Amino acid sequence: MRKPLVAGNWKMNGSIDSIKTLLAGIKAGLDSVSNADLAVCAPAIYIPLVQAELDGSGIGWGAQDVSIHASGAYTGEIASSMLQDYGCQYVIVGHSERRTYHKESDELVADKVEVARKAGLTPIFCIGETLEQREGGITEQVCARQIDALINKYGVEALADGVIAYEPVWAIGTGKTASPEQAQEVHAFIRGRVAAKSSEIGDKLRILYGGSMKPGNAAELMAKPDIDGGLIGGAALKAEDFLGICQAG
Ligand code: PEP
């Protein structure tokens, strides 16, 4: 049985004060969550603050990106070892905003997943199609291409104990959520693609849904057999909403 994971992606939001308030609110309501692992992925500069606030709480934390390099002349980059110095367990990799605004390719994303995993972090490997691709009927083809870029280079073991976030780009930050049926269909496809290489890894893989998940739609999404939690953007910035989603796990 896969335990749901609900991870907040704060993106480029927050301040010292707002983060303290948000985390205090989440910690205060933690008793109401019985069946989910929780994590927050903060802007890098606030990770030490998040660590100080969450240490010992049972809530995990992580970053939103990682470098493929171990160290050196890579201005602005952050290495996996640096994330580990501040207790990160997770890192979001290949979010559609990075694929779009920073031109991250499938190959680079695959390299980041592998670097993070080798360092002992759990990458939250984001995949998903644009609206144009969905309307063009190539959703599965796009997801397969994104997954295969990883598996073909590093083997299916790159997804052992792994987390994939299926995030239809048209549902991110738009208020449009994939229906539970639409999401389940793609999640089942993703699991099948991985299970075709290793049924054990496919069975254990946690596949999160991301795209305008809220307390009001989380339960029916997570009730689907292949939806193992959520990657949450906007709703992760309010303790009550984030907890409401976590309670649905
Ligand atoms: C995200 O950015 O990963 C996301 C799912 O955002 P939102 O929940 O705001 O759609």
Side-chain angles (χ1 to χ4, degrees), residues 5 38-41 47 51 54-55 58-63 83-84 86-92 116-117 119-124 163:
L5 167 66
L38 272 59
V40 297
C41 294
I47 290 173
Q51 178 183 34
L54 291 186
D55 219 4
I59 303 171
W61 62 91
L83 299 180
Q84 283 185 308
Y86 287 91
C88 290
Q89 298 105 62
Y90 298 96
V91 59
I92 297 171
R117 195 186 70 88
L121 296 161
T122 298
I124 300 176
V163 178

Side-chain angles (χ1 to χ4, degrees), residues 181-234:
E181 293 69 32
Q182 278 175 320
Q184 166 58 26
E185 198 180 352
V186 184
H187 281 231
F189 171 79
I190 294 166
R191 193 177 310 286
R193 189 97 188 161
V194 175
K197 302 278 182 191
S198 161
S199 57
E200 196 191 333
I201 292 174
D203 270 357
K204 282 172 78 182
L205 182 70
R206 290 198 280 191
I207 308 177
L208 316 185
Y209 168 78
S212 301
M213 199 189 254
K214 305 176 201 72
N217 59 26
E220 48 172 5
L221 282 159
M222 287 195 234
K224 292 292 180 191
D226 290 297
I227 301 184
D228 310 310
L231 181 58
I232 318 300

Side-chain angles (χ1 to χ4, degrees), residues 9 11 95 97 167 171-173 210-213 231-234:
N9 172 15
K11 310 194 188 193
H95 191 280
E97 286 151 17
E167 299 207 302
I172 296 177
S212 301
M213 199 189 254
L231 181 58
I232 318 300

